[in-house]
Amino acid sequence: QLHLQESGPGLVKPSETLSLTCTVSGGSISSSAYYWGWVRQSPGKGLEWIGTMYYSETTYYNPSLKSRVTIFVDTSKNQFSLWLNSVTAADTAVYYCARLPPYDYRTGYYFDYWGQGTLVTVSS
Amino acid sequence: DIQMTQSPSSLSASVGDRVTITCRASQSISNYLSWYQHKPGKAPKLLIYAASTLQDGVPSRFSGSGSGTTFTLTISSLQPEDFATYYCQQSYNTPRGGTFGQGTKVEIK
């Protein structure tokens, strides 16, 4: 059974960089054709896609966050990570990592496995 | 951008009730629509993808339908474990990601 677990600081100061890691167990992050992504949920709000990467390190970002986001992989540790720079209070959220199955033109993209999420608060 | 609008934003229902949630897209998204169940403190759970395909292991009381701009998630007989918030997600114009609806909270009546 695939398991994803987010980790990282729960408190980040404004203007600094948020850094989170997702550790994948029960499967290889290099498995062919799967994508790996980040989604967040701000307090009282809905879900927002942040970005997605392929194990080859090809990345795709939400245009609204693209200038501040970096997602990268460490295949030796079976982990992928999120950096979000120049954070503000608006970036306070629960951050989830998730897997996307290989693309099929009949189904589009969706998230089939998720981590439990980690709360990151931006505050001085 | 494609906007996803769910209705209602919340509902109260009793165990055994039939529940229907609607998700409307601001433009056609073919069948690139998924549904998720989310409980506080837990990982979101994929219920349905491609508008109507039930994810493995999801009870058959959940079903999805629709194409184009209007989609529905139906729970045929609400169970105690189904009280949660439900989200739709489209990936038509955001490949390898998606846009989510604002959520529908299903509460106990």
Side-chain angles (χ1 to χ4, degrees), chain A residues 2 6 80:
Chain A
L2 193 73
E6 305 88 351
F80 64 104

Side-chain angles (χ1 to χ4, degrees), chain B residues 40-93:
Chain B
K42 298 286 187 70
K45 177 183 178 182
L46 174 68
L47 300 175
I48 287 166
Y49 61 94
S52 60
T53 303
L54 200 65
Q55 171 71 344
D56 290 346
V58 174
S60 59
R61 62 181 181 273
F62 290 94
S63 64
S65 64
S67 181
T69 61
T70 303
F71 303 84
T72 59
L73 171 70
T74 300
I75 309 172
S76 60
S77 178
L78 197 66
Q79 297 302 300
E81 60 268 31
D82 299 337
F83 292 97
T85 300
Y86 293 84
Y87 293 93
C88 61
Q89 174 239 331
Q90 69 85 16
S91 67
Y92 185 78
N93 77 332

Side-chain angles (χ1 to χ4, degrees), chain B residues 1-3 27-29 32 90-95 98-99:
Chain B
D1 285 1
I2 297 178
Q3 307 301 319
Q27 65 187 72
S28 177
I29 58 170
Y32 286 11
Q90 69 85 16
S91 67
Y92 185 78
N93 77 332
T94 50
T99 307

Side-chain angles (χ1 to χ4, degrees), chain A residues 78-96:
Chain A
N78 221 34
Q79 295 175 335
F80 64 104
S81 297
L82 167 71
W83 285 353
L84 180 66
N85 60 36
S86 304
V87 297
T88 69
D91 296 309
T92 293
V94 176
Y95 286 77
Y96 299 93

Side-chain angles (χ1 to χ4, degrees), chain A residues 33-92:
Chain A
Y34 284 101
Y35 295 85
W36 305 89
W38 290 93
V39 176
R40 69 181 183 179
Q41 183 174 32
S42 301
K45 296 192 176 180
L47 298 166
E48 178 182 31
W49 170 64
I50 299 170
T52 299
M53 55 144 276
Y54 193 55
Y55 78 97
S56 64
E57 302 206 55
T58 306
T59 52
Y60 313 87
Y61 299 134
N62 186 325
S64 68
L65 297 169
K66 185 175 182 178
S67 64
R68 299 193 292 129
V69 173
T70 302
I71 296 175
F72 57 96
V73 64
D74 185 340
T75 53
S76 67
K77 295 181 179 178
N78 221 34
Q79 295 175 335
F80 64 104
S81 297
L82 167 71
W83 285 353
L84 180 66
N85 60 36
S86 304
V87 297
T88 69
D91 296 309
T92 293

